[in-house]
Amino acid sequence: AFRLLCRKYGATLSYTPMMSASEFVQEAATAKHGITNSNICEFQTIPQDRPLVCHFSANEPQDFARAAALVEPYCDAIDLNLGCPQRTAYLGHFGSYLLGKEDRQLIVDIIRAGSKAVSKPIFVKIRLLDTIEDTLELCHQLRDAGASLIAIHARYRASWERTAAGARDGPAMLDQVQKIKESMPDFPIISNGNVITYDDVVNNQTLTGADGIMSAEGILNNPALYLPRYGDLDKDGERSIELPKLSSLLNNVKQNQSSGSTSDKAGRKLNKKLREIIAIEKKIAESGEDSINDDQRSKLQAKSEVQAKLLEIENSSKCNEEQRQLPESDATPQTTTVKLSDLAASGRNPLALAQEYVSLVKQYPMKIRSVVFHTRRMCKDLFEKYQLMEECIACTSVEEVDAVLSKCAKYVANPKSFHYDQEKAARDKEALENKRLEEGKRKRYEGRMIRKAKREGLSDLHHYLRMGAEVPSVETVEKLKKAPKEERLSVWKKNHSQHCMSHHLEEGGCKRDRSCAFIHVAATSKLIFVEDAEVAG
């Protein structure tokens, strides 16, 4: 829904949210109604949602290749994320934490595997390395491995302790993007960073010479950021803009073979073996090589063979699917025409944009967390002015979000109908102060653990930060919910001590939410990456 809104107001290329390649492949193996209708990793699309880049995190070549093959019929390119700075990326060893020299061969292998598995282009999103020379070397290596385009977030890659410049702090270093583009004049480069307004888009392109300008943060606040691309909003109001009429979600119910088919059964068995292998690898990471038996070692050695067989089955299914699908050119695209002045009127109105977004959500349903996130970003100033932010965040349905927007519209139309609540303002201020206090706990904990490692002379300063870092599985969570309190505490302390036990086990979750000093991520079988958590890279 949000991509469609951005496209209407001028965006020419959209990326999906970051999806885990391994999770996508595992969920796809059990999907009964096709890739998009099963809402795998929240992926959904329609024919008008093009051009589209499917955006994956991965740290295994075969996982990326298999995920790429699955989404190839529904997109125009597949992207590997090497920019995500989140702590979940550190724990899962993906995103910007793959940009070290020690993982260079791995990311080259991932790109090669992806480019061999599909005919669509492979894109990569990166961050800057410590020196411009290092970043240039990386870009040339990615190109030589098969990448067709590189998007550069012009800030440095993140470190766990967040002591260096990076993440989203400070202005982007666009001069480095300029040098990279000068070094690779015939290779497509997208510049990302310092884009809040359309003037920023123009200035960024002028400075860097990049082939495209990406906005990840700014467009969340203003989905109409690219609207001036159509023309001067004040002088060209009578200009006609042709927009596609939107259709229903892609119907892929017949994509999979019947559940009793030989290939379907074989795929399920192979996926079960792969899950067992992943569990063995986690056990080794936690307890060392000596913790597994000979049978487990034998299963571990068969990993490449299992992955290859899975890829073969998926490629065969993809060929059958493509034979069943009608070529897109068989249908004449339907369009509608609007005046630029009409687009400008709604595009300049955050409330109108949010209401249009919610209307799209009703047509293309998605998780309420994402709906609340986008709505509050678009209407931040209005919600704070009319004390509606907490009411929006508390919404549990699209209808409730719609009601909040209607209330906001009432206040905008008649400001005198709004009465400022001093007591609520005082409560909000106190809550904000407590939140800042609690959020500092995590950084202090990390500092203590790093200092402890230094005192003990450990070469790995992150040693204690890795202890208890294992993300609990859905199965573990369900089991512990039924276990006695003593067993809960024992298992949690041993395996998941950095994670918030209340978040996973208590009814209603952790009351401290983002202010909690412990990590809040979804259990592993439904790992979904959300922004800030909700913007990755």
Side-chain angles (χ1 to χ4, degrees):
F2 188 74
R3 293 197 301 271
L4 294 174
L5 185 67
C6 295
R7 290 181 190 281
K8 176 180 176 179
Y9 289 95
T12 55
L13 175 70
S14 292
Y15 285 56
T16 68
M18 184 175 69
M19 302 176 285
S20 163
S22 61
E23 292 294 328
F24 194 93
V25 168
Q26 289 182 31
E27 289 185 31
T30 57
K32 295 181 180 180
H33 302 300
I35 299 299
T36 58
N37 280 1
S38 297
N39 206 25
I40 295 172
C41 290
E42 297 192 65
F43 174 59
Q44 56 181 7
T45 189
I46 61 174
Q48 293 79 18
D49 185 25
R50 307 294 282 267
L52 178 66
V53 181
C54 282
H55 183 56
F56 287 104
S57 66
N59 57 18
E60 286 281 352
Q62 290 286 357
D63 285 340
F64 184 68
R66 290 163 61 202
L70 285 167
V71 299
E72 186 178 17
Y74 314 107
C75 66
D76 302 279
I78 297 96
D79 183 77
L80 174 66
N81 181 291
L82 295 177
C84 181
Q86 299 168 18
R87 286 181 171 85
T88 49
Y90 175 83
L91 296 174
H93 195 55
F94 61 83
S96 67
Y97 299 99
L98 289 179
L99 288 176
K101 284 281 189 181
E102 65 278 8
D103 287 312
R104 187 59 49 82
Q105 188 59 50
L106 172 61
I107 62 177
V108 165
D109 290 344
I110 293 173
I111 297 302
R112 284 177 178 159
S115 61
K116 288 180 181 178
V118 297
S119 58
K120 297 284 176 69
I122 299 296
F123 293 178
V124 191
K125 186 164 188 239
I126 68 169
R127 281 175 174 263
L128 300 175
L129 301 187
D130 295 341
T131 68
I132 183 62
E133 291 76 20
D134 288 343
T135 309
L136 281 168
E137 180 185 36
L138 169 66
C139 290
H140 284 272
Q141 289 172 330
L142 294 173
R143 179 199 61 190
D144 295 344
S148 297
L149 176 149
I150 298 173
I152 304 171
H153 185 161
R155 292 182 176 90
Y156 290 118
R157 64 190 178 114
S159 59
W160 172 273
E161 59 271 23
R162 311 293 173 97
T163 55
R168 299 177 187 93
D169 301 327
M173 288 155 280
L174 301 178
D175 58 314
Q176 295 200 33
V177 179
Q178 178 189 26
K179 292 177 182 177
I180 294 167
K181 182 58 190 174
E182 289 173 351
S183 172
M184 308 173 74
D186 300 322
F187 185 83
I189 297 290
I190 291 179
S191 178
N192 175 215
N194 293 359
V195 176
I196 304 299
T197 68
Y198 192 73
D199 285 343
D200 296 331
V201 174
V202 175
N203 294 336
N204 190 322
Q205 203 283 327
T206 301
L207 173 63
T208 63
D211 301 277
I213 306 300
M214 174 186 288
S215 175
E217 277 286 333
I219 203 164
L220 293 171
N221 297 327
N222 178 19
L225 189 153
Y226 292 102
L227 181 57
R229 185 180 68 81
Y230 290 132
D232 189 307
L233 302 186
D234 297 313
K235 297 179 180 179
D236 301 328
E238 293 302 309
R239 178 176 295 174
S240 294
I241 307 299
E242 195 172 81
L243 300 173
K245 286 186 177 180
L246 303 183
S247 61
S248 301
L249 288 171
L250 286 175
N251 184 4
N252 303 309
V253 174
K254 296 181 180 180
Q255 172 190 323
N256 288 349
Q257 298 178 16
S258 64
S259 58
S261 69
T262 303
S263 63
D264 206 36
K265 289 179 179 178
R268 287 200 298 271
K269 288 181 179 179
L270 288 168
N271 271 290
K272 182 179 179 181
K273 288 182 179 180
L274 187 58
R275 287 194 294 271
E276 291 175 352
I277 291 169
I278 292 171
I280 294 169
E281 290 176 332
K282 287 184 177 179
K283 188 173 183 181
I284 292 174
E286 295 164 17
S287 308
E289 289 278 354
D290 295 337
S291 63
I292 63 173
N293 57 37
D294 291 340
D295 180 55
Q296 290 171 319
R297 288 189 179 89
S298 177
K299 289 180 179 179
L300 200 59
Q301 292 173 354
K303 181 177 180 180
S304 296
E305 181 182 352
V306 170
Q307 290 177 321
K309 288 180 178 179
L310 272 169
L311 185 58
E312 184 179 341
I313 289 174
E314 285 153 7
N315 284 337
S316 175
S317 298
K318 186 181 74 172
C319 289
N320 292 334
E321 173 192 342
E322 289 173 346
Q323 290 173 5
R324 284 193 294 271
Q325 289 185 329
L326 289 174
E328 292 181 11
S329 58
D330 286 358
T332 302
Q334 293 185 323
T335 61
T336 184
T337 302
V338 298
K339 288 184 178 181
L340 182 56
S341 58
D342 293 333
L343 280 179
S346 53
R348 287 168 163 168
N349 184 341
L351 183 57
L353 287 170
Q355 290 173 320
E356 188 172 356
Y357 166 70
V358 169
S359 178
L360 285 167
V361 169
K362 291 177 181 178
Q363 189 175 354
Y364 310 106
M366 60 193 307
K367 289 193 174 183
I368 188 62
R369 176 170 182 160
S370 295
V371 179
V372 168
F373 170 78
H374 284 299
T375 304
R376 67 180 174 83
R377 286 294 294 259
M378 283 183 259
C379 294
K380 181 177 183 291
D381 292 341
L382 287 172
F383 283 177
E384 289 180 348
K385 179 179 180 179
Y386 296 116
Q387 296 183 299
L388 292 171
M389 184 62 77
E390 293 306 316
E391 191 172 337
C392 176
I393 292 173
C395 289
T396 59
S397 69
V398 176
E399 289 71 26
E400 289 179 4
V401 174
D402 209 1
V404 172
L405 291 173
S406 295
K407 185 183 293 188
C408 188
K410 172 189 170 185
Y411 293 150
V412 170
N414 182 14
K416 291 182 179 179
S417 65
F418 170 71
H419 301 287
Y420 192 79
D421 188 335
Q422 294 287 356
E423 291 184 3
K424 185 178 186 300
R427 290 195 302 272
D428 290 345
K429 182 179 179 181
E430 182 181 3
L432 180 60
E433 291 173 351
N434 289 335
K435 178 181 177 182
R436 288 171 178 168
L437 179 66
E438 293 293 333
E439 285 180 339
K441 290 182 178 179
R442 182 70 201 175
K443 289 187 177 180
R444 291 195 292 274
Y445 168 79
E446 293 168 6
R448 288 197 303 273
M449 294 302 100
I450 291 173
R451 288 193 297 273
K452 182 178 180 181
K454 286 180 178 178
R455 285 196 304 271
E456 295 177 3
L458 300 180
S459 58
D460 180 9
L461 297 182
H462 299 154
H463 171 76
Y464 290 109
L465 292 175
R466 290 192 176 92
M467 293 179 64
E470 178 190 346
V471 181
S473 67
V474 169
E475 294 76 17
T476 298
V477 168
E478 292 305 314
K479 181 179 178 182
L480 290 180
K481 282 182 178 178
K482 301 173 185 177
K485 184 177 180 180
E486 294 77 12
E487 183 181 341
R488 282 188 183 191
L489 290 172
S490 175
V491 173
W492 206 266
K493 185 176 181 180
K494 179 182 177 183
N495 299 322
H496 317 295
S497 57
Q498 290 193 39
H499 296 265
C500 178
M501 190 165 74
S502 296
H503 174 70
H504 290 280
L505 303 183
E506 297 299 326
E507 188 70 29
C510 175
K511 293 180 180 179
R512 293 183 176 183
D513 197 22
R514 287 175 64 96
S515 64
C516 180
F518 294 96
I519 297 171
H520 286 206
V521 294
T524 51
S525 69
K526 49 185 177 184
L527 187 60
I528 297 171
F529 303 98
V530 288
E531 258 238 5
D532 193 354
E534 288 152 90
V535 172

